[in-house]
Each structure stands twice: as C-alpha cells, then as structure tokens.
C-alpha cells in the first residue's frame, strides 16, 4: 500500500535527491550525449575499441519496443551477451545491421569508436544510481 | 548535464566516450545536427520526445517484422496521493507510444492501480520509474514533470482513498 508516507520521510527523500543529483554534477567522467551506452564486456580484451551505442540516434528511427520487446534487448547495461558471431548471424545489432535495414557488420569502424579503457555503462549525465551502475 | 554546463550538444570527438582517433568517428552524425531540429527541452537530450513524435518531426518505426498490432493505452493514473510533493501523474499514452506493455508489466509494476509500493528512494536507485528516467527518458532532475498535479486539485475526493492511493480518470 502506498498510504503511510509521512512528511519526515519526504524531507529525507528531498535531501537524498539533491545529494544524488549534486554528485551526478561533479563526479561524472564524461559529457557524452544523454543515454549513450558503452558496450565493453569483451571488445577491448579481444583487441578492438569499445562500442558506443547512441540511443538518441536510434530512437529517432525506432521506438523502444522494437529493440526492447520485439528484438529482446534487456533494459540493463551489460545484461545482453553480445558476441560478434551473433551479430553476423543477425542477432542483437545484427537484426538491423545486416546491409538491409542498415549497413552491415563489416563496417567495424562505425561501431567500435569508444575510448579505450571505458567500462560498460550508460553515460551522459543526469544520472541516478541507475541499473547500469550495478 | 545541462543543469551543470549549459544546454549544448558536444561534438562527438570531445564527448569523452568517443575516441577522437577512431577512424569511424568523423563518419557519424553529430547530435547537434539531428537533435537541434526537434522540439527543444531543458534536460536529457534537450528534446521533447513525445512532442516531437506527436508533431511528426520524427517517425520512429513501431516494428521490424512483427505483424501484431501495436498495443496502446490512453489513461492517466495518479500516484502518491498522500505525500508532501505534488501528486504524480503517470500517463499511459506517452509510454505506450514508445514502449510495449511487457516493458513494464508485470516485472516493474503490477497492472492494478494502487497495487505497487513506489518510492523516490527506489526510483533514484534506478528501479521502478528510474529504470528509464535518469537513463534514457527525461531525467529525474525534472521533478515537476512527474509531480505535476497540485494536491489541492484532487483533495477531498473520496474515490481516491477507496482505490488504495491511485485515481484513474476515464480515458480521453
């Protein structure tokens, strides 16, 4: 039930909210466009640059449900185990990056553009302790 | 980070995630070029995404291959009728334009008004509404966009208490 929310708890939450947002302002490593995702579970270990996935670019062309319902991308950074062999087989990014809907998997340079050393995560500020942080 | 550094889109080479030395970077579209044309906002991508869609500035596809009709819902649900902040209005319309029901029901929210124990703590931790808001959808800095209904506007209507903390007006 959502009933017993006293004022004191409310005040604490406001303080917490301001603290979290203040930390967000000062501690962020990067100024990426909001909602950019870095995928780097294996890329750098395997000798290529991390991948940068821009949400802003894709949501102009596709609704969230295309990737997160129809294609089954889990909404949590790092929760999808993306292998290059899967992409070439038409899974994950390869469902579109197949030279049909968009350019194909041979264009390594367009996806592997991340700064070396960046951990997987969601970037771009206004952050909370979001799922990508865990 | 507009609240900290001013509302601009940084060039990709300077944004801290792209490697300026990567050969592909100069082939990519700059955010300012695409987003600067859309209805402006003061945070996040600096785009009012729902308005941009409603006005036809963008036409994002609803499906790749699926022939199933997109699922849509048009009611608003009022959450948090008892706290100190203005009441939260949750609009199904804005959400189902972008998302499928399965993105929220039932793993994030039971589909019964008032049945979920929501809290700002959890949201700031990236749970509940914070799965998307603060990550991809407009950020949590925009308190009043969720806490948008003055308490005085709904106070004293007995129906809300009977529904366990949520009020569901008829669909438009």
């Amino acid at each position: 039930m959502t009933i017993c929310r006293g004022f004191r708890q409310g005040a604490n939450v406001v303080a917490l909210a301001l603290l979290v947002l203040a930390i967000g302002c000062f501690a962020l490593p990067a100024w990426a466009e909001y909602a950019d995702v870095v995928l780097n579970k294996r890329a750098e270990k395997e000798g290529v640059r991390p991948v940068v996935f821009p949400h802003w670019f894709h949501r102009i062309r596709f609704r969230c449900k295309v990737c997160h319902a129809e294609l089954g991308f889990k909404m949590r950074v790092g929760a999808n185990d993306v292998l290059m062999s899967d992409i070439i087989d038409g899974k994950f990014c390869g469902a579109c990056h197949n030279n049909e809907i968009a350019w194909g998997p041979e264009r390594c340079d367009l996806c592997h553009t991340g700064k070396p050393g960046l951990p997987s995560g969601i970037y771009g500020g206004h952050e909370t302790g979001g799922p990508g942080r865990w | 980070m507009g609240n900290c550094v001013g509302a601009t889109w940084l060039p990709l080479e300077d944004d801290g995630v792209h490697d300026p030395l990567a050969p592909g970077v100069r082939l990519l579209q700059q955010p300012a070029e695409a987003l600067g044309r859309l209805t402006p906002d003061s945070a996040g991508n600096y785009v009012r995404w729902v308005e941009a869609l409603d006005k036809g500035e963008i036409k994002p596809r609803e499906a790749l291959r699926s022939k199933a009709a997109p699922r849509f819902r048009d009611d608003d649900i009022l959450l948090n009728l008892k706290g100190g902040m203005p009441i939260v209005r949750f609009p199904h319309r804005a959400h189902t334009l972008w998302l499928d029901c399965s993105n929220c029901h039932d793993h994030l929210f039971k589909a019964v008004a008032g049945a979920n124990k929501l809290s700002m703590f959890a949201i700031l931790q990236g749970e509940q509404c914070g799965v998307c808001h603060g990550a991809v959808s407009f950020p949590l800095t925009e308190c009043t966009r969720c806490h948008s209904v003055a308490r005085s506007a709904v106070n004293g209507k007995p129906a809300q208490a009977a529904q366990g903390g949520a009020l569901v007006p008829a669909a438009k």
Side-chain angles (χ1 to χ4, degrees):
Chain A
M1 295 302 285
T2 49
I3 310 232
C4 317
R5 292 269 145 78
F7 179 74
R8 276 189 46 205
Q9 190 197 348
N12 288 341
V13 176
V14 174
L16 179 86
L18 295 176
L19 184 70
V20 170
L21 296 171
I23 292 170
C25 276
F26 300 114
L28 278 168
W31 307 93
E33 186 51 34
Y34 187 64
D36 276 358
V37 177
V38 170
L39 295 101
N40 194 11
K41 264 192 174 172
R42 296 190 183 76
E44 237 181 310
K45 276 182 228 140
E46 303 289 339
V48 291
R49 287 187 175 81
V51 172
V52 181
F53 170 80
H55 263 107
W56 64 268
F57 182 96
H58 287 87
R59 74 181 290 187
I60 290 175
R61 294 161 175 78
F62 302 93
R63 304 190 197 216
C64 328
K65 53 181 121 175
V66 171
C67 292
H68 290 295
E70 191 179 337
L71 298 180
F73 270 106
K74 293 192 199 102
M75 267 192 195
R76 186 172 287 252
V77 166
N80 304 278
D81 259 314
V82 184
L83 292 176
M84 229 24 245
S85 50
D86 291 331
I87 295 180
I88 292 163
D89 282 350
K91 294 193 204 101
F92 297 114
C93 321
C96 298
H97 289 280
N98 54 7
N99 285 316
E100 228 176 277
I101 290 168
W103 39 262
E106 70 286 353
R107 314 252 345 235
C108 324
D109 288 350
L110 293 180
C111 289
H112 290 276
T113 55
K115 257 199 180 143
L118 281 184
S120 297
I122 184 131
Y123 286 78
H126 307 286
E127 272 188 65
T128 61
R133 287 263 184 102
W134 304 116
Chain B
M1 291 311 294
N3 293 346
C4 306
V5 296
T8 49
W9 298 281
L10 284 183
L12 298 176
E13 314 78 78
D14 304 333
D15 70 1
V17 287
H18 289 89
D19 179 354
L21 303 175
V25 170
R26 68 193 162 74
L27 302 174
L28 301 179
Q29 187 178 35
Q30 295 290 347
E33 189 201 335
L35 303 179
R37 297 186 191 126
L38 308 179
T39 303
D41 197 354
S42 51
N45 295 120
Y46 305 111
V47 171
R48 276 277 187 174
W49 287 107
V50 177
E51 261 186 67
L53 184 61
D54 280 340
K55 290 184 189 159
E57 296 170 356
I58 56 173
K59 296 187 181 59
R61 283 173 67 168
E62 302 229 31
L64 270 191
R65 288 176 204 85
S66 162
K67 298 274 182 318
R71 299 195 282 173
F72 185 71
R73 205 176 149 90
D74 201 8
D75 59 342
D76 286 351
I77 298 185
L78 299 189
L79 304 161
N80 177 19
L81 293 172
K82 287 277 155 101
M85 291 285 288
I87 288 169
V88 174
R89 180 199 284 120
F90 173 83
H92 261 120
R93 176 181 180 279
H95 288 93
T96 52
L97 282 176
W98 291 98
L99 295 152
D100 184 58
C101 318
S102 66
N103 290 128
C104 292
H105 295 305
D106 284 334
H107 68 293
L108 293 180
F109 309 105
K110 281 177 243 157
V112 179
N116 299 277
K117 194 166 193 280
L118 303 172
S119 96
M120 205 60 220
F121 281 110
I123 294 169
L124 285 161
Q125 295 293 312
E127 292 160 36
Q128 302 177 345
C129 318
V131 168
C132 299
H133 293 281
V136 177
S137 310
F138 74 78
L140 296 170
T141 44
E142 310 308 290
C143 316
T144 53
R145 212 170 290 175
C146 288
H147 293 276
S148 60
V149 181
R151 279 185 193 277
S152 55
V154 276
N155 272 350
K157 289 189 196 154
Q160 299 140 28
Q163 288 183 336
L167 170 71
V168 188
K172 273 186 258 162

